[in-house]
Amino acid sequence: MDGRELVRSMKVVGSVQGLRAVRSAWRQRRTDARELVPRGAERARVPGPVSGAEPLPGGGTVRFARAELHVCVTVGGAVFWGWDGAEPLPSYALAGTPPEPDTRAALEPDTDGGWRVVSERVTVAVSRHGGVEVRTPGGVVLRRELPPRWWEPVAGGPARWVQRSEVAADARFFGLGGRASGPRLRNGTYRLWNTDPGGRFGPGDDPLYVTMPVQLVVADGGTHLAFHDNSWDGRVTLREGEEGAGSGHDRPGTSELRMDGGPLRCWVVTGTPARVLHGWTALTGAPVPPPSWALGPQHARWGFGSEREVRRIVAGYRTRGLPLSALHLDIDHYDAHQVFTVDRGRFPDLPGLAEELRADGVRLVSIVDPAVKAERGNAVYDSGSAAGAFVRDARGRDVQGVVWPGECVYPDFTDPEVRDWWGGLYEERLAQGFAGVWHDMNEPVSFAPFGDTTLPRSARHQLEGRGGDHREAHNVYGLTMAQAGFEGLRRLRPDERPFLFSRSGWAGMQRYGGTWSGDVSTGWPGLRASLSLVLGLGLCGVPYSGPDVGGFDGSPSPELFLRWFQLGAYLPLFRTHAAIDAGRREPWEFGPEVLEHARAALVERERLRPYFVTLAQLARLTGAPYARPLWWGAPEDRALRDCEDAFLLGDSLLVAPVLERGTDRRAVRLPRGRWYDTATEQAYDGPGQVLLDAPRSRIPVLARAGAVIPIRGADGGPELEVWAPAAGRSGGGLVVRDPGDGWGRAEVERYSSRVVDGRVRVTRVTGQGPVEPEWPVRVRGR
């Protein structure tokens, strides 16, 4: 053990907790050494030559000498294949049953002894040695999977495997969950193991809290998403390709996925980026929209400490005319850090405080950690023990770790009965007046001065009755905790959409809420990482996310805080947050200039609230993220594929944050079409690059010509802001009126804009023809 690691651990959790962490870590190592059988000698296996095939609806089974492959093209065009009997279910990623096979697609012989499945949208070719190609209807190869290889322990146990893939030489990789170094994933190795990086992280740190075996690949020939449905620990090694500069000798891009166990099965979705994300969320579930109040500005700090301080903060916002929608209470409001408790000395009347703040338009949001203090007399521990709710070791004893309350146990959220029990505990949070929750420390974390800060890999889980250990359950622990919380809140308040976001998760977590950056490091690299995380997560189907504005672990300079604040105002989750010793995050703490400019950002966020409501509802309907890479509508534009310092907010706005110190002008890459600087209304034509002013007072934001954007007018009522179409062009936009915080049906309204006799005319498009808008129309950019 490294002594420096021990000292750092003790600084974080205190000397007593630090010693407990050391003891816990040694205990976990001993447990794994005893319970996990060494792999010993292994036997390598490849599929071998093809030996036959059996047609089935949508595809069929191809048999090889030492393996068999099931291939199926589903209704909608998604492709599934699984080796050695692997089926789509059971799966934590999929929402319900898989889509039905496309009965029009059939397995048929291919050239050179292989087989293929041809469908309307995609062709899947299987070579005679077990390679799999995904092609467009025109024959362009999007992805080539080489024959896999397994290593099986001679003495028995899970087989590890490797799958190597090739993509086009010009392709770019995105996804893999929340990565600080993205959104474009450079050459390197990325681990698939949800991890607390230990207090702070920057662009060079990997892995982080949300890892997913989800790759979105963009190339000239087309876009596709590949998902290897396996929750075990693994590593993805990516290498971008290189074109032969006309010589014809291209080097393809490559992906190598190595997994420590679990099934070898894969889903692929092809098409435009919008079609791919729509197909992906059709598989894994529609993102649940947050309540409309959660699309406003939110404030958090570890260390508010008392009701008096909470009131002071809220009053500070109100007296300075700053909008505020929610305030988050961290672990310091608990009694001795124990979940589902309240420190009555510091918060003597929490329900009264919540009611008082709600009357002023501010909701309270509570942190919820999974670790339960292992102490008799603790009501949660006692009821959980009686129900057999906690993760156990192979001998049937509760697994213990060290977290903020001390020695703790962990609910087994892979057990449906435990999820029901845990979800019922949220009644206490609702009774305290909380309107939402944020899940933290749910990778899950056990403090340790060395090695993995998690549970023993030999720890036993129910896994929906199948049984298994933590090697399979670890990555889905946060996902299943989110499921427990979401379903519990929905049962307790059936008429309200739950507000829940989770630090850890896995593919499909959008069904239960969103996520946030976690403990992003305070500094300019951390600011850049914030944008990378949000864009990457959106491309994995998680549209609602955002960073700790200002960074978590240190005191930002006024300039850094302001630029972070301005970026956050255009991201889905807009929340300031900081560690207990990292200083304040209230805008007025950084001087009058920062306060003035932060107020402008807050006012603009509130003005755009109807647009964020629309984006949230469209994400539910289509899977499209709120924040999108610039190439979203033009994936064939290579310059846009390489642009990582700006993003599209929906279809209508382009946001170019300032990510470097001392910047007052910045270059902005524009997609095709006309764009208006929303501050000056100056028009620019793309594609191309322009140089725009970026004074301290704002960051560059551009609107697409012809866009129709729902906004909040000066009187607080809804309006339509229309940016004049270019000459000879038309435009439009989609609007979803706020359905409230319940489960009301969202109606999508379509608007068109065009120039008629020198004037911009806006109409609503209906089945009965165009009609005049009900909302006032404000035209800009003329």
Side-chain angles (χ1 to χ4, degrees):
M1 178 180 62
D2 189 332
R4 291 175 297 180
E5 294 294 327
L6 173 59
V7 171
R8 182 156 58 246
S9 174
M10 291 185 176
K11 284 183 178 179
V12 173
V13 300
S15 58
V16 174
Q17 295 285 64
L19 291 174
R20 288 174 174 168
V22 172
R23 185 171 65 244
S24 174
W26 280 116
R27 186 168 60 229
Q28 291 181 17
R29 287 193 170 189
R30 288 199 307 271
T31 299
D32 280 348
R34 181 179 64 246
E35 304 297 344
L36 292 181
V37 178
R39 297 191 64 86
E42 295 179 316
R43 182 183 298 110
R45 174 168 64 93
V46 295
V50 67
S51 61
E54 177 186 358
L56 295 169
T61 299
V62 182
R63 295 186 178 88
F64 299 86
R66 292 176 290 278
E68 68 176 31
L69 173 68
H70 175 63
V71 180
C72 181
V73 178
T74 68
V75 173
V79 178
F80 171 81
W81 67 77
W83 285 94
D84 292 342
E87 296 289 338
L89 296 177
S91 170
Y92 279 106
L94 269 59
T97 59
E100 294 294 321
D102 182 353
T103 56
R104 298 170 300 175
L107 184 68
E108 59 186 38
D110 199 5
T111 59
D112 198 26
W115 295 82
R116 68 179 180 179
V117 181
V118 180
S119 70
E120 181 181 5
R121 295 182 180 175
V122 67
T123 296
V124 184
V126 181
S127 77
R128 59 180 177 152
H129 291 293
V132 180
E133 286 187 356
V134 179
R135 305 170 184 163
T136 69
V140 176
V141 177
L142 297 178
R143 189 178 191 90
R144 177 181 293 113
E145 303 270 352
L146 304 180
R149 181 181 294 268
W150 295 266
W151 287 269
E152 299 165 329
V154 173
R160 60 189 180 93
W161 51 263
V162 60
Q163 176 69 73
R164 296 183 175 92
S165 311
E166 295 179 350
V167 297
D170 65 283
R172 297 289 181 260
F173 295 99
F174 301 86
L176 296 183
R179 304 287 169 168
S181 58
R184 172 185 162 195
L185 300 175
R186 263 62 173 192
N187 297 347
T189 299
Y190 302 85
R191 190 179 178 193
L192 299 170
W193 187 254
N194 292 350
T195 303
D196 174 11
R200 62 181 180 180
F201 69 87
D205 293 308
D206 187 272
L208 298 177
Y209 313 96
V210 182
T211 67
M212 301 181 195
V214 179
Q215 294 179 22
L216 189 74
V217 183
V218 184
D220 288 355
T223 300
H224 74 273
L225 180 147
F227 168 54
H228 289 86
D229 192 353
N230 184 318
S231 63
W232 284 62
D233 192 0
R235 286 172 170 79
V236 181
T237 300
L238 301 177
R239 185 181 181 189
E240 292 180 349
E242 184 176 347
E243 293 181 293
S247 68
H249 298 290
D250 292 349
R251 178 174 59 78
T254 60
S255 167
E256 180 183 272
L257 173 61
R258 290 182 176 269
M259 301 298 293
D260 288 350
L264 174 43
R265 56 186 177 177
C266 183
W267 288 91
V268 172
V269 184
T270 67
T272 65
R275 183 182 289 276
V276 166
L277 264 294
H278 185 266
W280 173 238
T281 53
L283 284 173
T284 59
V288 59
S292 57
W293 59 263
L295 294 169
Q298 305 179 47
H299 186 82
R301 175 157 42 95
W302 177 14
F304 283 133
S306 68
E307 288 187 9
R308 179 179 179 182
E309 177 67 2
V310 168
R311 287 191 173 92
R312 187 189 74 83
I313 297 299
V314 174
Y317 273 86
R318 290 295 179 252
T319 58
R320 293 170 175 86
L322 305 176
L324 181 65
S325 291
L327 188 138
H328 299 220
L329 298 188
D330 210 317
I331 55 175
D332 51 293
H333 87 279
Y334 282 137
D335 181 8
H337 295 157
Q338 296 183 62
V339 68
F340 300 119
T341 65
V342 176
D343 185 334
R344 298 297 179 187
R346 297 179 175 182
F347 293 87
D349 184 15
L350 193 51
L353 174 65
E355 183 178 0
E356 173 189 327
L357 296 183
R358 185 183 285 253
D360 200 24
V362 179
R363 269 77 167 183
L364 279 184
V365 176
S366 171
I367 192 172
V368 173
D369 288 355
V372 175
K373 186 175 180 62
E375 181 178 74
R376 293 295 176 188
N378 173 5
V380 177
Y381 176 72
D382 291 344
S383 66
S385 294
F390 302 118
V391 176
R392 300 177 182 178
D393 63 19
R395 301 183 179 185
R397 301 172 300 184
D398 290 347
V399 171
Q400 293 193 1
V402 176
V403 201
W404 301 114
E407 295 279 352
C408 292
V409 290
Y410 299 81
D412 182 5
F413 296 116
T414 69
D415 184 339
E417 293 184 1
V418 174
R419 291 198 295 268
D420 288 344
W421 164 73
W422 184 264
L425 298 177
Y426 288 74
E427 184 174 12
E428 181 273 342
R429 294 287 88 185
L430 296 178
Q432 298 297 340
F434 289 107
V437 296
W438 51 297
H439 288 172
D440 201 0
M441 309 292 285
N442 59 337
E443 289 71 38
V445 172
S446 174
F447 293 144
F450 54 88
D452 271 341
T453 57
T454 186
L455 302 185
R457 295 183 174 228
S458 59
R460 305 299 299 173
H461 292 262
Q462 284 291 323
L463 291 167
E464 316 307 314
R466 293 180 290 112
D469 61 38
H470 197 66
R471 292 174 295 180
E472 181 179 358
H474 173 83
N475 281 336
V476 298
Y477 190 88
L479 170 73
T480 51
M481 181 186 179
Q483 180 182 359
F486 179 85
E487 292 176 347
L489 290 168
R490 188 165 184 179
R491 286 195 306 270
L492 293 166
R493 295 279 175 86
D495 296 330
E496 297 181 11
R497 287 202 309 278
F499 176 52
L500 184 152
F501 61 104
S502 173
R503 191 170 80 172
S504 183
W506 202 61
M509 66 181 295
Q510 72 277 356
R511 300 191 297 262
Y512 313 116
T515 184
W516 90 104
S517 68
D519 302 340
V520 61
S521 180
T522 298
W524 293 95
L527 171 59
R528 185 175 290 273
S530 297
L531 179 57
S532 299
L533 283 159
V534 173
L535 293 177
L537 286 162
L539 296 175
C540 292
V542 185
Y544 184 78
S545 66
D548 284 346
V549 169
F552 179 75
D553 68 321
S555 298
S557 68
E559 180 189 7
L560 175 59
F561 175 80
L562 177 61
R563 293 310 196 186
W564 217 317
F565 200 86
Q566 290 167 333
L567 168 62
Y570 293 95
L571 296 178
L573 172 59
F574 180 21
R575 183 182 84 143
T576 58
H577 185 48
I580 194 168
D581 58 350
R584 300 185 182 277
R585 288 292 187 272
E586 294 79 53
W588 56 87
E589 297 290 344
F590 295 88
E593 181 188 16
V594 170
L595 174 60
E596 176 187 355
H597 301 330
R599 178 184 290 109
L602 285 166
V603 168
E604 181 64 7
R605 172 66 175 227
E606 289 297 276
R607 194 180 77 90
L608 291 174
R609 181 83 74 91
Y611 187 50
F612 276 94
V613 169
T614 292
L615 295 179
Q617 294 296 332
L618 291 178
R620 178 181 68 85
L621 295 171
T622 70
Y626 312 20
R628 310 165 185 177
L630 291 187
W631 49 259
W632 178 260
E636 72 283 354
D637 189 327
R638 296 189 179 188
L640 294 181
R641 290 209 294 260
D642 294 342
C643 183
E644 301 176 288
D645 61 355
F647 63 97
L648 297 175
L649 183 60
D651 285 331
S652 300
L653 297 178
L654 189 160
V655 182
V658 172
L659 305 176
E660 297 179 354
R661 179 189 293 110
T663 299
D664 60 6
R665 301 193 81 195
R666 60 150 295 174
V668 180
R669 174 71 58 178
L670 299 180
R672 184 177 301 278
R674 175 163 293 179
W675 296 85
Y676 293 97
D677 185 325
T678 58
T680 65
E681 303 196 12
Q682 174 70 42
Y684 301 92
D685 289 323
Q689 185 169 281
V690 295
L691 189 62
L692 298 180
D693 289 335
R696 288 284 188 96
S697 58
R698 59 181 174 85
I699 58 176
V701 178
L702 300 102
R704 190 188 300 271
V708 179
I709 304 172
I711 63 167
R712 182 176 290 173
D715 63 353
E719 292 182 1
L720 297 177
E721 182 171 85
V722 183
W723 290 88
R729 302 276 184 173
S730 60
L734 302 178
V735 174
V736 181
R737 303 191 187 207
D738 191 347
D741 294 338
W743 299 97
R745 182 178 178 182
E747 298 288 347
V748 180
E749 301 175 3
R750 184 181 300 274
Y751 291 86
S752 68
S753 64
R754 66 183 191 276
V755 178
V756 179
D757 297 329
R759 298 184 60 184
V760 176
R761 186 183 177 199
V762 178
T763 56
R764 180 182 171 190
V765 181
T766 70
Q768 291 72 41
V771 298
E772 294 299 317
E774 297 177 14
W775 292 353
V777 175
R778 179 188 178 200
V779 178
R780 300 184 64 185
R782 290 183 294 181

